[in-house]
Amino acid sequence: YQRRVRGQPKNVYWCTGTQEEYDQLCALLVSTGTFIKLNEKKRPNSYLARSDPRDVARVESKTYICSQNPTDAGPTNNWSDPHEMKQKLKKYFQGCMQGRTLYVVPFCMGPLGSPFSKIGVQLTDSAYVVVNTKIMARMGNKVLSQLGDDGEFLPCLHSVGVPLLEGQKDVAWPCNPEQTTIAHFPEDPAVWSFGSGYGGNALLGKKCFALRIASTMGRKEGWLAEHCLILGLTSPEGKKYYVGAAFPSACGKTNLAMLVPTIPGWTVRCVGDDIAWFHVGDDGRMYAINPESGFFGVAPGTNDKSNISAMDTFKRNSIFTNVGLTPDGDVWWEGMTKTPVLCVD
């Protein structure tokens, strides 16, 4: 309620997580110019989004760990005093959702019902965030049912940071890069993100929750949240093996996770391509889950040779951002084919 009052949205909408809701929000995004509907025959139920050129990537320089002790932020992260950061962001969030709809997005990282899963609730004024969360996490009424009246959840607050005044025409990709800030409060815990509508800056269940906040949860509770793929291998004799492999972004994690075996009799299962939560079971063995439910990857270099599984996966029911649009209403990116095709960037 306090967040609603501070943001002053025009409407409040509780997300149900249904396919009908997803389709309606995608149609809304088409009408506002955020989405372009792709050729239904070539790429069924898929859309292209083009972000503002100033809002095209995760911004590590504006991402902060706001722990009480600066050393808890780690050697590679930016630290900020939690009280000072909240005071700054409260000013940013004041009235920031005027003229917009506040979406309440209950989501679950990990399979519903798993003792290893964690629930979050994101407040956002971006329909783009809602539809991407539908792909990347379990969300909606089924999460609320599991949460109940007194369940624990991670509060996540997000705004693109562009109030829409009465009579003012909106832009296709509202953002506020001058004030973009992504702040993590591990002691609360909570995540506040302002000014960006792009990727991991705005989908707070992904890097913000599933890696950064989850790593502090794991440290307290005795488990690990790591930037790892999970690969399942089954031998011709039916013996199963699982591999957890840590790689940074954009270096081939997804390609390895979606490996197509060439050795006769072996099968490969992609359990996860980006984030893994590791637990030690009562039997002393290591177990892992993929907290995500979809795939969110870097397009350039992905093709039928490097990752046929990915190419097959996003033949339909996909959202593409900042790739080329071909004259026949399909998508293209660098490395998809040997010869560049005519397209609009």
Side-chain angles (χ1 to χ4, degrees), residues 202-225:
L203 305 177
L204 303 186
K206 193 167 173 59
K207 304 296 186 186
C208 295
F209 187 174
L211 271 182
R212 299 188 186 109
I213 292 295
S215 68
T216 64
M217 289 179 171
R219 185 169 59 184
K220 294 174 183 176
E221 299 170 7
W223 53 279
L224 294 170

Side-chain angles (χ1 to χ4, degrees), residues 23-38:
D23 294 339
Q24 290 173 349
L25 288 175
C26 287
L28 172 66
L29 288 163
V30 170
S31 71
T32 60
T34 305
F35 273 1
I36 297 171
K37 182 77 167 69
L38 296 177

Side-chain angles (χ1 to χ4, degrees), residues 37-330:
K37 182 77 167 69
L38 296 177
N39 187 317
E40 187 65 23
K41 292 183 179 179
K42 288 181 171 290
R43 201 75 61 168
N45 194 35
S46 297
Y47 301 87
L48 169 64
R50 291 166 170 161
S51 76
D52 186 298
R54 301 169 299 165
D55 189 24
V56 296
R58 290 203 314 275
V59 281
E60 301 299 335
S61 62
K62 299 181 178 183
T63 300
Y64 300 90
I65 307 299
C66 305
S67 53
Q68 295 292 340
N69 188 336
T71 60
D72 288 338
T76 59
N77 295 309
N78 302 308
W79 177 82
S80 181
D81 177 86
H83 176 73
E84 293 178 1
M85 178 60 74
K86 285 183 179 180
Q87 292 305 112
K88 181 179 84 168
L89 286 176
K90 283 178 181 178
K91 293 178 182 178
Y92 285 0
F93 276 105
Q94 187 65 42
C96 68
M97 297 184 183
Q98 290 181 35
R100 301 193 180 278
T101 296
L102 168 63
Y103 297 96
V104 183
V105 189
F107 64 94
C108 182
M109 302 310 293
L112 280 165
S114 168
F116 299 151
S117 297
K118 300 287 185 181
I119 289 176
V121 177
Q122 179 165 347
L123 306 184
T124 179
D125 54 8
S126 168
Y128 175 87
V129 166
V130 178
V131 294
N132 275 274
T133 301
K134 162 73 173 171
I135 293 175
M136 293 307 301
R138 293 83 175 169
M139 64 163 277
N141 290 344
K142 54 191 176 182
V143 178
L144 279 181
S145 297
Q146 179 161 319
L147 182 61
D149 295 330
D150 57 356
E152 294 184 356
F153 65 91
L154 180 77
C156 301
L157 178 60
H158 168 256
S159 173
V160 294
V162 184
L164 197 58
L165 304 181
E166 190 70 33
Q168 181 181 355
K169 183 176 174 56
D170 202 1
V171 295
W173 190 276
C175 63
N176 186 345
E178 290 77 19
Q179 294 182 322
T180 292
T181 307
I182 301 96
H184 306 73
F185 303 96
E187 278 92 7
D188 289 8
V191 180
W192 294 9
S193 175
F194 185 89
S196 173
Y198 186 88
N201 301 331
L203 305 177
L204 303 186
K206 193 167 173 59
K207 304 296 186 186
C208 295
F209 187 174
L211 271 182
R212 299 188 186 109
I213 292 295
S215 68
T216 64
M217 289 179 171
R219 185 169 59 184
K220 294 174 183 176
E221 299 170 7
W223 53 279
L224 294 170
E226 298 296 334
H227 207 185
C228 286
L229 65 87
I230 308 173
L231 183 67
L233 301 165
T234 304
S235 71
E237 296 74 33
K239 188 171 182 179
K240 293 185 178 180
Y241 304 85
Y242 290 94
V243 177
F247 291 86
S249 294
C251 74
K253 257 197 332 296
T254 298
N255 291 353
L256 178 56
M258 293 184 169
L259 185 72
V260 176
T262 56
I263 303 174
W266 284 82
T267 59
V268 173
R269 176 189 174 204
C270 176
V271 180
D273 77 316
D274 191 38
I275 300 172
W277 289 357
F278 294 98
H279 293 257
V280 177
D282 294 336
D283 58 2
R285 301 173 66 195
M286 183 76 80
Y287 292 85
I289 65 167
N290 170 17
E292 300 179 298
S293 63
F295 295 104
F296 189 107
V298 178
T302 305
N303 54 56
D304 288 343
K305 185 176 181 180
S306 66
N307 195 334
I308 185 64
S309 298
M311 296 293 286
D312 288 342
T313 298
F314 45 66
K315 282 182 177 178
R316 58 187 61 79
N317 305 324
S318 298
I319 297 171
F320 300 89
T321 303
N322 293 344
V323 298
L325 177 67
T326 63
D328 59 355
D330 201 4

